[in-house]
Amino acid sequence: MSATVWPPISHEQLMKEEEKSLACELEWLLNLLQESLASLKSGLQECVALLAPKEPGSTLALSSLRSESVKGFVTRIGTRIIKGDINLRLTTLPPPRSLSSYPVHLQYPVPLPQLTALLTLLNQALDIIDISRWTGDPHNGAFISGQLRLLADTIGEAQQTLKGGEDVVGGKWWEDAMTEDTSSPSVPPSLSLHLSIADAALLLHVRTLAPPSAPESSLTGLSLRTRLGLGPRPPVHDELGQVFHYRGEEVTVKEKVRVESQDPSLMAVLAKLSALGHAVGGWRLKVGVVMGEDLEGDA
């Protein structure tokens, strides 16, 4: 089946009519988008509200699975941990005399840089929407396309901030561990406590540290374990043998424990951001198709 125009018109006239049709379709899409932008703004505002510093906050249990290594809780209000009590039972951290575990009582708020960065990104996304609706030309396809691209990138960065990793702010434990005076008693130099966010959960890493030591060796160049036929010592954690620059000193990690606690508010934010990102992606595709843009490189 083929479509023809009757009465026949010239190729130039046909191209003009196609451009006119696309312009009308683009205008209709942009008008429809204005309503959707209001809905997107509402969703982002809900995310901001979930991060607001409201009492009583979220009290989260921090307990290691199948062991007594870590037992305790912390309370998050907004972008900070405001209090907490944690007891540690580590083979490389002797407890104080007369105690069965090493106590850590958080006496000062501990900031969570990832949540601060997340809040900044959410406010940037809100600004992008306001500019798209009120400051710029909402009927300019190129302008709106650029704003949608910027909005998609900002929401994607916010999602990645909640998912965590070393590449996000606050993700490097050797740079962002708790300071010694945060807790009572003070955290000793050989102990590192690092709070971060991973997959919308609060993550606590406890590490005991020591200066780098020379590898076990013998006069023959073979280690004692090798000469006994025992093979290399199996690693007890994934950072064994690595050297980190921590508080001006080179250190290695003797013992490492990872504990996570699901945070319902952060899980709700991540779910909302996923839906918002999908909606923005759909609008980018619609506008891009009408404008003849190639979005493959932005995927």
Side-chain angles (χ1 to χ4, degrees), residues 114 118 121 153-169 197-200 270 273:
Q114 283 172 259
L118 173 62
L121 289 166
D153 290 344
T154 304
I155 292 177
E157 189 175 349
Q159 287 180 272
Q160 188 56 51
T161 299
L162 262 183
K163 292 178 181 179
E166 288 188 3
D167 294 334
V168 303
V169 60
I197 306 298
D199 294 324
L270 186 59
L273 287 176

Side-chain angles (χ1 to χ4, degrees), residues 18 21 24 37 47 72 81 92 113 128 135 138 156 159 174-175 177 196 233 292 295:
E18 287 181 354
S21 176
C24 290
L37 286 175
C47 293
I81 299 296
T92 55
I128 293 169
T135 306
Q159 287 180 272
W174 55 92
E175 295 179 356
S196 61
R233 187 183 300 277
L295 299 180

Side-chain angles (χ1 to χ4, degrees), residues 58-287:
S58 301
T59 298
L60 308 170
L62 288 172
S63 298
S64 51
L65 297 175
R66 297 182 294 277
S67 78
E68 299 292 323
S69 299
V70 179
K71 294 290 181 183
F73 74 93
V74 294
T75 299
R76 179 186 66 80
I77 292 183
T79 61
R80 302 186 302 171
I81 299 296
I82 59 145
K83 63 181 179 179
D85 282 293
I86 304 170
N87 291 292
L88 305 175
R89 288 188 178 182
L90 306 176
T91 58
T92 55
L93 182 69
R97 186 172 298 178
S98 77
L99 295 180
S100 61
S101 60
Y102 194 99
V104 176
H105 172 70
L106 301 183
Q107 58 181 353
Y108 297 111
V110 179
L112 297 170
Q114 283 172 259
L115 297 188
T116 301
L118 173 62
L119 197 56
T120 299
L121 289 166
L122 293 176
N123 286 320
Q124 288 176 358
L126 287 169
D127 289 341
I128 293 169
I129 290 178
D130 284 342
I131 292 172
S132 302
R133 299 182 67 197
W134 310 115
T135 306
D137 183 357
H139 301 292
N140 185 316
F143 168 72
I144 291 298
S145 178
Q147 291 296 102
L148 287 174
R149 183 186 304 109
L150 186 58
L151 183 59
D153 290 344
T154 304
I155 292 177
E157 189 175 349
Q159 287 180 272
Q160 188 56 51
T161 299
L162 262 183
K163 292 178 181 179
E166 288 188 3
D167 294 334
V168 303
V169 60
K172 297 180 173 63
W173 70 265
W174 55 92
E175 295 179 356
D176 300 289
M178 291 185 199
T179 57
E180 296 179 4
D181 59 354
T182 301
S183 67
S184 176
S186 298
V187 176
S190 61
L191 176 64
S192 166
L193 299 175
H194 181 240
L195 284 166
S196 61
I197 306 298
D199 294 324
L202 182 67
L203 189 63
L204 169 66
H205 275 110
V206 181
R207 295 173 173 87
T208 55
L209 310 174
S213 57
E216 181 185 10
S217 60
S218 68
L219 294 177
T220 63
L222 298 176
S223 70
L224 177 61
R225 292 180 61 84
T226 300
R227 287 186 288 115
L228 293 176
L230 299 178
R233 187 183 300 277
V236 294
H237 56 79
D238 59 354
E239 294 175 345
L240 188 68
Q242 298 184 49
V243 177
F244 299 91
H245 195 72
Y246 178 73
R247 295 180 181 173
E249 304 287 341
E250 286 191 341
V251 298
T252 58
V253 179
K254 293 194 297 182
E255 192 171 356
K256 175 183 175 182
V257 180
R258 180 186 187 276
V259 180
E260 71 174 56
S261 182
Q262 297 296 326
D263 189 317
S265 295
L266 299 185
M267 292 173 65
V269 172
L270 186 59
K272 289 179 181 294
L273 287 176
S274 178
L276 292 171
H278 182 75
V280 173
W283 276 109
R284 287 195 65 200
L285 181 60
K286 293 173 185 176
V287 174

